[in-house]
Amino acid sequence: MALFPLFADLKGKSVLVVGGGAVAERKIASLLNAGALVRAGAPEFSDTLRQWAAQGRIALIEGGFQPEWLDEAWLIIAATDDRAVNRHIATLAEQARRFINVVDDPELSSFQMPSIVDRSPLMIAVSSSGSAPVLARRIRERLESLFDHSLGALAALAEKHRAAIKRLRPNLNQRRQFYDWLLDGPVAGALRTQQPQLAEQLLEAELERRPGAPVGKVTLVGAGPGDPGLLTLKALRALNEADVILYDRLVSGEIRALARRDATQISVGKTPGEDHDATQKRIHTLMVEHARAGQRVVRLKGGDAFIFGRGGEELEFLRSHDVPYEVVPGITAAIACAAYAGIPLTHRGFAQSVRFITAHSAKENDALDWHSLADEKQTLAFYMGVSQMHWLAGQLVSHGRSIDTPFALVENGTRDTQRVLNGTLRNLPDVVAKNNIQTPSMLLVGEVAALTNTLHWFGTHVPPDGSAAP
Ligand code: SAH
């Protein structure tokens, strides 16, 4: 974080603006909006500034810059067109530990003024840390069009009734539900149509209604394979509404960063020494406990919750405990890895079907139907196979799949560390031995896998001859 964002209360506080032209005018106008006591210092002043001074809105100090001007000031804005003067002011301000903004000069500034969308009391501020003000202005324009002007009135109404809302909705969840209703419901509608009295009546009537006990629920959300861009809109919404998030090890930090800031995030991955059933029991208990306390629980899983994700067991448990639930599908690793490796899973003429196979403990406890897996014209997607790839390839070949069948190994699929290695079953052991394959990785086997040679587009591609190409 290059700059720390904050909103300052300048009411009745002295702010010095050095400069007397149009730029100074603009800065002073917004300082006055915030109730600051503005002093402007310069050898000459624009007519507008003189007028403001005559109206008693600002004080003028006429003359060249003097160090004493800084004495009273909480903040300083240097808006002269002389860089040497600006630099001098900046140096003195720094020594006096006053925050200074030199207009259009981030190097000399210790604070920046953001681009703002003003729906007072609601304020949205955007900053590029001084690096690209144009970008910040663009974003501001977009935001302007997104948020109706009535939002300010809505925020003011919420502020007016805040104490009553707190008193009549003492429970945090009920309060949150009330605010959701306020933002999405008829009150906002009435304000948009310029009916402030109706809006207030609606708010008061709703507040008087006795709220029912909050009802919790669990939303089982597939987070996809890693790239946050692959979340569905519903998944994003669930993350924004969650009180508690129970997440697996495979869920990327970038995705968790999209959740509501004050949601409690709990890692429920398998802990060392714990077996899978114990982990699962722990998760079941946590889900039910939090939902029964009226919280909105998101159970966040890598990929899709129903593909090798034990999502089904979790729903069975919730159903048997009468906890309401919803399911948001996610993009499963096989689909995502294939897409990001340029491998069309059922490319015409190459494959008529695709199979999702778990290789988890396949070697110790082999229940796979190798004869059918060895059939031609199908694509195989092996999950959880990193430690057994050599063996998987051997089983396929010994049950009749050609040793020249192409494979592609997608490591860290869709993440910025993605690597795709490919070849044929004949050289798979060699590729695995040479490349220190990390988890998570997906093994795709079938004619379509060779298409990555020509269709790859993302991350690093290591072709059959071993030369890495970006
Ligand atoms: N429910 C998940 C799968 C869980 S099993 C889903 O639908 O994707 C975990 C296995 O998924 C890993 O061992 C790996 O084989 C695969 N996997 C998950 N994320 C992956 C990724 N980003 N890249 C490659 N493989 C991944």
Side-chain angles (χ1 to χ4, degrees), residues 225 250 302-304 307-308 332-333 337 383-384 410 413 415 440-442:
L250 265 183
D304 179 85
I307 304 288
F308 309 128
T332 190
C337 290
Y383 290 71
M384 297 179 275
V410 186
R415 302 174 182 197
S441 285
M442 167 69 46

Side-chain angles (χ1 to χ4, degrees), residues 17-21 23-24 27 77-82 86 89 101-103:
V17 178
V18 187
V23 180
K27 302 293 168 190
I77 295 176
T80 82
D81 49 14
D82 183 334
N86 285 343
I89 303 171
N101 174 266
V102 179
V103 176

Side-chain angles (χ1 to χ4, degrees), residues 32-50:
L32 289 176
N33 275 338
L37 295 179
V38 179
R39 287 178 306 139
E44 284 168 41
F45 295 102
S46 70
D47 291 343
T48 309
L49 288 178
R50 288 201 179 279

